[in-house]
């Protein structure tokens, strides 16, 4: 199992680059960032610095979207980085939650997302693609350029699109029951589309907080540092409930039940510990969606996820123990995996 690190591009960018270097030294294989241009600094500028100051790390957004940049611009950004640093990028992409809503726009439709994924991949790998009715090709892309497209998804239609088209699946929660349910949906869609389901890389992304022990005090502090994640996932779940209903059978009740007490969401606190809009998230959801506890507890849950076919676990490190979590994974988790 690969281990990735996910950070927000908060200033100073220098600190983010240093933490990505630290992660590479610890054995992490991927460095991811959020991509929401108003809330955080522009990630592609920072990717160039990360790639220049690491040797093996693969970098990319978790996730970008089809709306904040035109597709040929997104493709050119990835193609430029790959030309400079040798195919060390991956394009995580979704409909667009914070990036679009903060700018007063609606997230993209799945049809538009599908078209964008196709165009971005084709252009970044040197082939022709249609963008807004015009056939384009980036002439300077060299043979051998490669850009994997990994799609973030929760709902049944998005999971089906992931299985039909994407090179990878990003699931933002670490609950084994829900992971098994959603991985199956993606793989079934891949088979129905005539694809080998093993060709779809499975990436689970969630907060991990490594504690020194499993005392009630240590676990309580870790839960408070990670409770924001249940609120972030709740945004996507609320969309699904509005689209499919609360007990439709299309979305597991285990995913929808906890948002009944949700009351709005302020994106100015998005993805941050102490988010006041996540008080509705119970401890049980924090424990299910995240990985909390000493190294042994981290490994036990990661082994569960690996048994379900998860190829990468990406650590959301938006809490007060970023560097100690990186170091604990490097010393006690990654070697054991």
């Amino acid at each position: 199992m690969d281990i990735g690190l996910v950070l927000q591009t908060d200033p100073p960018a220098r600190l983010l680059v240093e933490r990505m270097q630290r992660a590479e030294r610890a054995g992490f294989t991927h460095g991811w960032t959020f991509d929401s241009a108003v809330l955080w600094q522009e990630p592609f500028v920072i990717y160039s610095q990360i790639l220049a100051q690491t040797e093996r790390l693969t970098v990319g957004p978790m996730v970008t979207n089809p709306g904040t940049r035109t597709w040929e611009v997104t493709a050119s950004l990835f193609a430029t980085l790959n030309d400079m640093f040798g195919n060390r990028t991956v394009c995580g992409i979704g409909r667009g939650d914070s990036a679009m809503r903060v700018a007063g726009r609606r997230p993209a439709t799945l049809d538009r997302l599908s078209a964008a994924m196709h165009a971005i991949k084709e252009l970044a790998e040197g082939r022709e693609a249609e963008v807004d009715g015009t056939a384009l090709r980036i002439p300077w892309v060299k043979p051998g350029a490669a850009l994997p497209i990994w799609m973030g998804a929760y709902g049944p239609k998005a999971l089906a699109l992931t299985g039909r088209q994407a090179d990878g699946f990003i699931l933002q929660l670490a609950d084994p029951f829900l992971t098994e349910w959603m991985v199956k949906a993606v793989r079934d869609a891949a088979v129905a589309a005539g694809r080998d389901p093993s060709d779809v890389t499975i990436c689970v992304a969630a907060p991990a907080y490594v504690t020194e022990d499993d005392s009630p005090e240590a676990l309580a502090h870790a839960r408070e540092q990670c409770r924001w994640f249940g609120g972030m996932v709740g945004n996507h779940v609320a969309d699904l409930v509005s689209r499919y209903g609360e007990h439709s059978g299309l979305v597991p009740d285990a995913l929808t039940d906890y948002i009944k007490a949700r009351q709005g969401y302020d994106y100015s606190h998005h993805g941050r510990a102490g988010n006041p809009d996540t008080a509705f998230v119970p401890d049980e959801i924090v424990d299910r969606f995240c990985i909390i506890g000493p190294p042994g507890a981290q490994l036990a849950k990661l082994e569960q996820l690996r048994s379900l076919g998860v190829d990468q676990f990406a650590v959301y490190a938006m809490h007060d123990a970023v560097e100690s979590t990186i170091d604990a994974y490097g010393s006690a988790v990654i070697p054991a995996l």
Side-chain angles (χ1 to χ4, degrees), residues 315-326:
V315 175
Y316 274 154
M318 294 85 179
H319 48 54
D320 64 1
V322 176
E323 293 177 359
S324 63
T325 295
I326 293 171

Side-chain angles (χ1 to χ4, degrees), residues 87-100:
N87 288 346
R88 289 172 55 199
T89 67
V90 55
C91 177
I93 193 168
R95 294 176 59 229
D97 179 32
S98 63
M100 296 294 282

Side-chain angles (χ1 to χ4, degrees), residues 4 24 40 49 67 80-81 96 124 131 188-189 203 219 232 238 257 285 296 335:
E24 182 180 66
W40 301 288
Q49 290 293 313
T80 300
L81 292 172
V131 178
D188 287 349
C203 174
L219 296 179
M232 187 180 82
D257 284 347
I285 287 294

Side-chain angles (χ1 to χ4, degrees), residues 169-180:
F169 168 41
I170 297 172
L171 173 59
Q172 296 178 89
L173 52 80
D175 176 67
F177 170 77
L178 292 169
T179 297
E180 182 175 21

Side-chain angles (χ1 to χ4, degrees), residues 4-229:
L5 177 67
V6 189
L7 298 173
Q8 293 168 337
T9 53
D10 288 313
R14 169 191 50 77
L15 178 59
L16 185 148
V17 174
E18 290 174 355
R19 284 172 166 170
M20 290 297 185
Q21 291 176 305
R22 189 184 194 111
E24 182 180 66
R25 291 194 298 270
F28 287 67
T29 60
H30 287 68
W32 302 91
T33 76
F34 282 21
D35 178 15
S36 191
V38 174
L39 297 178
W40 301 288
Q41 292 184 328
E42 169 56 42
F44 285 89
V45 176
I46 300 172
Y47 296 158
S48 189
Q49 290 293 313
I50 297 170
L51 289 164
Q53 298 183 50
T54 57
E55 296 178 359
R56 302 172 304 281
L57 209 64
T58 296
V59 306
M62 190 178 279
V63 292
T64 193
N65 68 85
T68 52
R69 302 177 186 86
T70 61
W71 305 344
E72 73 274 16
V73 169
T74 299
S76 184
L77 286 166
F78 280 109
T80 300
L81 292 172
N82 283 338
D83 186 65
M84 293 172 67
F85 301 105
N87 288 346
R88 289 172 55 199
T89 67
V90 55
C91 177
I93 193 168
R95 294 176 59 229
D97 179 32
S98 63
M100 296 294 282
R101 296 184 199 274
V102 167
R105 307 184 188 106
R106 293 176 61 84
T109 65
L110 289 176
D111 286 345
R112 185 163 178 79
L113 176 57
S114 175
M117 290 195 295
H118 175 78
I120 291 167
K121 184 175 181 67
E122 295 299 291
L123 291 171
E125 294 184 349
R127 296 181 293 274
E128 184 178 285
E130 185 175 297
V131 178
D132 295 329
T134 299
L136 300 175
R137 188 178 71 84
I138 302 176
W140 48 263
V141 174
K142 297 175 182 175
L147 179 65
I149 306 285
W150 294 10
M151 181 177 156
Y154 290 106
K157 293 181 180 178
L159 294 169
L161 174 58
T162 303
R164 289 196 307 270
Q165 183 174 349
D167 300 307
F169 168 41
I170 297 172
L171 173 59
Q172 296 178 89
L173 52 80
D175 176 67
F177 170 77
L178 292 169
T179 297
E180 182 175 21
W181 191 92
M182 294 189 182
V183 168
K184 182 179 185 301
V186 168
R187 287 179 167 162
D188 287 349
V191 170
R195 304 180 67 192
D196 183 342
S198 65
D199 289 343
V200 183
T201 301
I202 307 297
C203 174
V204 161
Y209 197 106
V210 183
T211 59
E212 291 188 6
D213 54 43
D214 58 1
S215 66
E217 296 79 11
L219 296 179
H221 178 76
R223 289 188 186 106
E224 287 309 312
Q225 288 292 306
C226 298
R227 198 174 305 277
W228 63 267
F229 184 67

